[in-house]
Amino acid sequence: DKGTCGDDKRCVAVGWCPAEDPSGDATEVHVVEASKFKVWLKSKIYFSLLSTADPSNPLDVSTMEEEKPVDYPQENQNSFRLTDLLRFANTKLEDVQENGALVMASVFFKCDLDMNECEPDVSAKLVDSESGFNVVTNHYYTNDDGTEFRDTTRWFGVRMIAQTAAEGSKISWGNLALQIASAVALLGVTVVIADLYMAFFTSEKLHYMTAKDKATHEF
């Protein structure tokens, strides 16, 4: 098939017009109240290496079963306003509102698995605000005279990437018993070492040996 040439001797292709122009008359800008948005973070962590008794059933910490959000800054919070997460990332909603942003939210659990207690700590990091983040959707339709139209909507916002890490501690009764046994055994070794030192390496070793061994009468 042969193409169509324009007045400038260039090929003419079918396209939508007018071209996308943020400041054009056909462009409408709508701003939502993102300051009211909340993010409910749910996490699950497995401590498989600490579950030596039954490897098929590892210890785990989960907030997946929580039925209600607990707003920050309450204790054991799991729900955060978008503005708070942006503040954690050292930025503001006004700074990312035009182009959007990519933010990584991190949840770190410090757990005492013997007491079944975990302390969550939430932080955020701004990954990208220069190129920002947006999604484009198109709506196609035709009017009564058969003219085709396309409405393009470009959504700018904050893309949130969540990650979870944890540090867990648990008493190993086997290792504890081994350490205690080693300490008790070392008590006997220290007596032998002290005796050898006094008998061979001190200036009063003769007096020590004399005082150490005393002859008793036979009965």
Side-chain angles (χ1 to χ4, degrees):
D1 295 337
K2 294 182 178 180
T4 302
C5 292
D7 297 336
D8 57 357
K9 305 300 181 181
R10 295 178 182 273
C11 291
V12 177
V14 177
W16 295 99
C17 59
E20 184 177 340
D21 182 6
S23 59
D25 295 335
T27 300
E28 296 180 5
V29 178
H30 302 273
V31 179
V32 299
E33 294 187 60
S35 60
K36 295 183 179 180
F37 289 1
K38 291 184 179 181
V39 180
W40 185 356
L41 298 174
K42 292 190 175 185
S43 308
K44 190 165 188 176
I45 287 288
Y46 292 94
F47 294 98
S48 56
L49 296 180
L50 296 180
S51 183
T52 55
D54 184 6
S56 64
N57 184 26
L59 298 171
D60 67 279
V61 175
S62 175
T63 61
M64 303 297 292
E65 295 80 14
E66 294 179 349
E67 298 180 354
K68 294 182 179 180
V70 181
D71 292 336
Y72 172 83
Q74 301 180 59
E75 187 177 0
N76 296 322
Q77 68 273 3
N78 57 22
S79 175
F80 301 83
R81 289 185 179 274
L82 178 60
T83 51
D84 287 328
L85 292 174
L86 291 175
R87 180 169 54 84
F88 295 164
N90 296 317
T91 188
K92 296 181 295 184
L93 183 60
E94 294 78 9
D95 297 334
V96 300
Q97 185 167 303
E98 183 175 353
N99 295 323
L102 183 62
V103 177
M104 177 176 290
S106 302
V107 183
F108 181 79
F109 290 95
K110 190 171 184 180
C111 302
D112 183 343
L113 299 176
D114 292 301
M115 301 298 293
N116 197 26
E117 294 178 351
C118 284
E119 236 178 82
D121 180 60
V122 177
S123 60
K125 181 180 180 181
L126 183 63
V127 179
D128 182 16
S129 62
E130 295 296 329
S131 57
F133 176 75
N134 67 84
V135 176
V136 178
T137 59
N138 294 301
H139 173 59
Y140 301 91
Y141 57 96
T142 305
N143 66 1
D144 296 336
D145 62 5
T147 304
E148 294 182 347
F149 290 88
R150 180 187 71 169
D151 291 339
T152 297
T153 304
R154 189 174 294 273
W155 309 82
F156 292 89
V158 176
R159 182 181 183 184
M160 194 71 61
I161 301 175
Q163 67 174 7
T164 305
E167 175 185 309
S169 61
K170 181 178 175 61
I171 296 176
S172 173
W173 295 105
N175 289 335
L176 180 61
L178 179 62
Q179 294 295 327
I180 294 175
S182 299
V184 172
L186 285 174
L187 291 176
V189 174
T190 54
V191 173
V192 175
I193 294 175
D195 181 62
L196 292 174
Y197 177 77
M198 294 297 295
F200 297 100
F201 299 101
T202 63
S203 59
E204 300 294 330
K205 56 186 177 181
L206 294 178
H207 293 93
Y208 174 75
M209 294 299 296
T210 302
K212 176 183 175 182
D213 298 322
K214 290 185 177 181
T216 58
H217 297 289
E218 296 182 0
F219 294 96

